[in-house]
Amino acid sequence: MTIVSENIIPGEHGKTFGTNANSSSEIQSVKNAILEVDHVKEVHIKDNVFPVEVTVFTTEMVSIKDVQEAVISVGFHVIPKRVFN
């Protein structure tokens, strides 16, 4: 594991995750949970693909584990898709 693979690095690329949330209300719950994580500035949803993709943008380095724990707290999961988008 490296600093890049374990964290979301600030910048225009963000980090893309797949999620098991499907309905609009589930996806909104995931988005709201992620937005509660310190230093997360934006969350983009791509719901026209399967699995639904969530891209997280930050103002400072944020641990992927922190994002995953926030989403787990609302009953769903997010898994990083790749190191760079």
Side-chain angles (χ1 to χ4, degrees):
M1 293 293 173
T2 66
I3 195 165
V4 174
S5 66
E6 295 178 355
N7 296 283
I8 303 169
I9 308 299
E12 61 188 51
H13 293 68
K15 175 74 85 177
T16 300
F17 298 83
T19 183
N20 63 331
N22 292 312
S23 72
S24 295
S25 63
E26 292 174 347
I27 294 166
Q28 191 61 45
S29 293
V30 167
K31 181 177 181 177
N32 291 341
I34 295 170
L35 286 169
E36 292 295 319
V37 175
D38 288 341
H39 309 296
V40 171
K41 67 176 182 178
E42 287 182 59
V43 177
H44 295 179
I45 305 295
K46 188 174 182 182
D47 59 2
N48 61 343
V49 296
F50 182 83
V52 172
E53 291 183 351
V54 178
T55 305
V56 180
F57 299 90
T58 63
T59 58
E60 294 185 22
M61 193 166 10
V62 173
S63 169
I64 288 173
K65 186 175 182 175
D66 291 344
V67 172
Q68 289 176 319
E69 288 173 356
V71 174
I72 287 170
S73 75
V74 295
F76 300 99
H77 296 282
V78 289
I79 299 172
K81 293 199 70 149
R82 53 193 169 264
V83 175
F84 292 107
N85 299 329

